[in-house]
């Protein structure tokens, strides 16, 4: 059974449209309805940077010089990522980048990961908005946001999660992600 007391909100930024490496990651741990820990790091993706991504995130090849590669970052964050439900805004994207990084570097993780998406929660729980983008939701709920900064996005995700917890159980939003197949397992919710 999935523990709904600990949620690992995360956001990744990518260097290019291949989305198989990350240039930054932010994590915020929500436990028992409170923010308990946070972490941000730039990541040397060991690949090229697209000018579009550089403009969007402000992260360039120069920004990541001397920063840890994903295997070193994974050593630090793996215990966090394995300690609760993973949560992201537009989670299938962040889950796919995480999966692809793990596969590219042949790093171990559980084969199936339980996750939830605050974008999907918002569509169900706040249906009247013009859209459910992170910046739109943050504007509507007065949550500070430095969009495309991985820690700020992860913190906004955590605050959205805590807002949605007031609506009741979030168990219906749990999904299962197949880390090797890089996709959501359709028709199956874990721990429901």
């Amino acid at each position: 059974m999935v523990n709904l007391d600990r949620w690992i909100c995360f956001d990744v930024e990518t260097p290019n449209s291949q989305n198989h490496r990350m240039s930054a990651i932010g994590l915020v741990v929500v436990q028992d309805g409170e923010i308990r820990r946070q972490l941000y790091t730039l990541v040397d993706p060991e690949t090229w940077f697209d000018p579009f991504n550089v403009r969007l995130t402000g992260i360039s090849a120069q920004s990541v010089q001397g920063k840890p590669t994903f295997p070193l970052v994974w050593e630090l964050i793996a215990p966090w990522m394995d300690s609760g439900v993973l949560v992201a805004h537009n989670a299938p994207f962040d889950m796919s980048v995480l999966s692809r990084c793990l596969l590219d570097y042949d790093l171990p993780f559980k084969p199936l990961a339980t996750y939830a998406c605050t974008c999907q929660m918002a569509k169900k729980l706040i249906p009247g908005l013009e859209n459910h983008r992170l910046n739109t939701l943050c504007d509507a709920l007065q949550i500070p946001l430095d969009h495309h900064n991985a820690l700020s996005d992860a913190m906004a995700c955590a605050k959205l999660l805590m807002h949605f917890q007031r609506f009741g159980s979030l168990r219906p939003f749990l999904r299962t992600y197949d880390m090797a197949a890089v996709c959501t397992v359709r028709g199956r919710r874990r721990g429901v």
Side-chain angles (χ1 to χ4, degrees):
M1 196 60 120
V2 176
N3 179 357
L4 297 184
D5 294 330
R6 188 169 170 92
W7 305 79
I8 315 306
C9 301
F10 77 106
D11 182 77
V12 301
E13 300 300 336
T14 59
N16 56 54
S17 61
Q18 290 182 332
N19 297 329
H20 71 293
R21 299 286 175 93
M22 60 181 74
S23 54
I25 186 166
L27 293 101
V28 176
V29 176
V30 176
Q31 187 166 344
D32 301 320
E34 294 180 10
I35 293 172
R36 297 291 173 97
R37 296 179 76 185
Q38 57 185 296
L39 178 138
Y40 171 80
T41 187
L42 291 172
V43 182
D44 180 350
E46 301 184 292
T47 191
W48 57 277
F49 280 78
D50 185 290
F52 172 82
N53 293 63
V54 173
R55 281 192 303 277
L56 186 69
T57 68
I59 303 169
S60 66
Q62 293 77 24
S63 305
V64 300
Q65 282 183 350
K67 300 301 179 190
T69 60
F70 184 73
L72 293 173
V73 171
W74 185 245
E75 283 181 35
L76 177 66
I77 68 171
W80 293 36
M81 302 297 269
D82 198 29
S83 70
V85 176
L86 301 178
V87 185
H89 196 77
N90 191 20
F93 170 79
D94 296 270
M95 293 296 296
S96 72
V97 174
L98 176 63
S99 293
R100 288 182 173 118
C101 282
L102 292 166
L103 291 169
D104 268 12
Y105 286 104
D106 196 27
L107 295 169
F109 192 50
K110 53 190 163 191
L112 299 174
T114 302
Y115 80 95
C117 177
T118 52
C119 184
Q120 292 304 313
M121 291 176 193
K123 287 177 181 179
K124 178 80 173 171
L125 300 173
I126 311 176
L129 296 176
E130 66 181 84
N131 64 59
H132 295 89
R133 295 183 189 124
L134 186 59
N135 58 328
T136 302
L137 288 163
C138 287
D139 286 346
L141 297 173
Q142 299 181 337
I143 296 171
L145 178 67
D146 177 11
H147 206 13
H148 299 297
N149 170 290
L151 182 58
S152 182
D153 287 359
M155 184 64 73
C157 179
K159 290 182 178 180
L160 286 172
L161 175 79
M162 291 187 302
H163 177 78
F164 296 144
Q165 285 175 324
R166 297 180 197 147
F167 288 82
S169 174
L170 298 180
R171 190 170 292 282
F173 294 102
L174 297 182
R175 300 292 180 265
T176 302
Y177 202 85
D178 185 321
M179 301 302 284
V182 190
C183 66
T184 299
V185 177
R186 296 290 173 206
R188 181 172 155 208
R189 294 182 189 165
R190 200 163 130 187
V192 178

